[in-house]
C-alpha cells in the first residue's frame, strides 16, 4: 500500500503511474489528500484542546492551593467544556483515519 506522505508529495506521479494500470486515480488521490488534511487539522485542534485543558488543570491546582476556590470552580467548568470538545475531536479524528484507510486500500501498488 502506498504511504500517504508519498501520495501527498507526489500526487501527479501517483496519478500518472496508476493511469498506466488503466486507473483514473485523480479523484481518489484528491479525496485522499483532502481527508489527510482534515485528519491533520483535527489532530492539531485536539492537541491544542488537550494542552489547554492540561494547563487549566494545573492552574486549578494552584488556585486551590492559594485558597481561591471560586476562580478554580470557574476554570473547572471550562475544563469540562474542553474535555467534551476533545472527545468530539477524537471521534472526528478516528472517523477521518478510518475513511482514509479505506480509500488508501482502493489504490493498487505502483510499479
Amino acid at each position: 500500500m502506498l504511504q500517504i506522505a508519498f501520495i501527498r508529495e507526489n500526487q501527479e506521479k501517483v496519478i500518472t503511474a496508476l493511469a498506466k494500470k488503466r486507473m483514473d486515480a485523480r479523484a481518489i488521490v484528491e479525496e485522499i489528500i483532502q481527508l489527510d488534511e482534515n485528519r491533520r487539522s483535527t489532530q492539531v485542534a485536539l492537541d491544542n484542546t488537550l494542552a489547554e485543558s492540561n494547563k487549566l488543570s494545573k492552574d486549578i491546582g494552584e488556585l486551590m492551593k492559594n485558597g481561591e476556590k471560586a476562580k478554580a470552580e470557574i476554570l473547572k467548568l471550562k475544563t469540562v467544556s474542553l474535555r467534551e470538545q476533545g472527545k468530539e475531536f477524537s471521534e472526528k479524528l478516528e472517523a477521518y483515519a478510518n475513511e482514509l484507510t479505506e480509500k488508501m486500500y482502493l489504490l493498487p501498488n505502483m510499479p
Side-chain angles (χ1 to χ4, degrees), residues 5-28:
F6 181 81
I7 294 171
R8 188 175 41 252
E9 294 167 8
N10 301 287
Q11 291 180 47
E12 289 304 317
K13 184 177 180 179
V14 170
I15 292 167
T16 302
L18 292 174
K20 291 178 185 175
K21 290 187 169 191
R22 302 195 190 288
M23 179 180 184
D24 183 9
R26 183 166 302 281
I28 194 159

Side-chain angles (χ1 to χ4, degrees), residues 32-44:
I32 287 170
I33 297 300
Q34 185 61 50
L35 281 169
D36 185 53
E37 287 175 10
N38 292 344
R39 181 191 59 81
R40 292 166 64 136
S41 66
T42 302
Q43 181 67 59
V44 169

Side-chain angles (χ1 to χ4, degrees), residues 41-54 82 89:
S41 66
T42 302
Q43 181 67 59
V44 169
L46 174 61
D47 292 346
N48 290 340
T49 301
L50 293 176
E52 186 176 351
S53 178
N54 288 340
L82 287 172
F89 285 136

Side-chain angles (χ1 to χ4, degrees), residues 51-61 75 78-79 82:
E52 186 176 351
S53 178
N54 288 340
K55 183 191 175 308
L56 288 177
S57 293
K58 192 175 186 179
D59 292 346
I60 290 168
L75 292 183
K78 190 168 183 178
T79 59
L82 287 172

